[in-house]
Amino acid sequence: MVLGIYQKGLAPMRAVRTQAVSIAKKKAGVQSVSAFYWDKQRDSYVTVAGTTKNKQKVYVLIRQKTGHMDVLRQANGISMQEAEAEAIKSFAPKKIISVGLSIRKQKVVWDIGYRSKSGKLGYVTYDFKNGDQLFAVANL
């Protein structure tokens, strides 16, 4: 019974992921998927990380409300791992709880949510292109 409740709770995430992967494959030529991100901080964005038939590693960033899609070369910015490492270095969180790509003021950004060692929530935004910290809130 517990497993059934757990799986039912994950159904919306699976549906969104399936739809985003389908769009990335059809419209952006993604052939293999390496990661999926769902950023719901402000405007909801889903991102499919993958490789095209030309062996280019890309992020396909889709705004859920409008379906607008941007395709970004992964090499043109910092990786999720680099953004997480910077958050860990700067804020020493107990746990990273969310990571996702989004667009803020026409910049692509990594949004990272975390739980501090004292149990409070924090949030930090890094510029995708250069890794600069653009915004941070701690102790929520």
Side-chain angles (χ1 to χ4, degrees), residues 21-75:
V21 168
S22 177
I23 291 168
K25 287 181 174 183
K26 286 179 186 169
K27 295 189 177 182
V30 170
Q31 290 196 321
S32 66
V33 174
S34 56
F36 171 77
Y37 309 103
W38 191 358
D39 186 343
K40 299 181 267 183
Q41 295 296 332
R42 292 184 181 112
D43 293 328
S44 186
Y45 285 89
V46 293
T47 302
V48 175
T51 306
T52 66
K53 65 180 178 182
N54 298 334
K55 306 291 185 222
Q56 283 208 332
K57 291 184 177 190
V58 296
Y59 293 117
V60 180
L61 184 62
I62 306 163
R63 184 170 180 207
Q64 277 192 295
K65 185 176 183 180
T66 64
H68 178 77
M69 183 180 76
D70 290 290
V71 180
L72 312 165
R73 291 185 58 198
Q74 290 182 24

Side-chain angles (χ1 to χ4, degrees), residues 19-135:
Q19 185 178 25
V21 168
S22 177
I23 291 168
K25 287 181 174 183
K26 286 179 186 169
K27 295 189 177 182
V30 170
Q31 290 196 321
S32 66
V33 174
S34 56
F36 171 77
Y37 309 103
W38 191 358
D39 186 343
K40 299 181 267 183
Q41 295 296 332
R42 292 184 181 112
D43 293 328
S44 186
Y45 285 89
V46 293
T47 302
V48 175
T51 306
T52 66
K53 65 180 178 182
N54 298 334
K55 306 291 185 222
Q56 283 208 332
K57 291 184 177 190
V58 296
Y59 293 117
V60 180
L61 184 62
I62 306 163
R63 184 170 180 207
Q64 277 192 295
K65 185 176 183 180
T66 64
H68 178 77
M69 183 180 76
D70 290 290
V71 180
L72 312 165
R73 291 185 58 198
Q74 290 182 24
N76 288 348
I78 66 168
S79 68
M80 182 269 301
Q81 293 85 359
E82 290 170 305
E84 274 189 346
E86 188 58 36
I88 290 167
K89 181 178 134 192
S90 298
F91 300 98
K94 179 178 180 179
K95 182 179 182 180
I96 301 288
I97 55 176
S98 66
V99 179
L101 276 173
S102 190
I103 297 178
R104 304 274 184 273
K105 297 182 182 176
Q106 303 191 3
K107 285 186 180 186
V108 178
V109 298
W110 284 106
D111 287 327
I112 299 177
Y114 64 89
R115 187 163 302 279
S116 70
K117 291 184 174 133
S118 65
K120 303 225 174 168
L121 294 175
Y123 172 79
V124 61
T125 300
Y126 294 104
D127 188 315
F128 169 74
K129 285 190 178 182
N130 58 27
D132 288 347
Q133 180 181 313
L134 302 174
F135 181 77

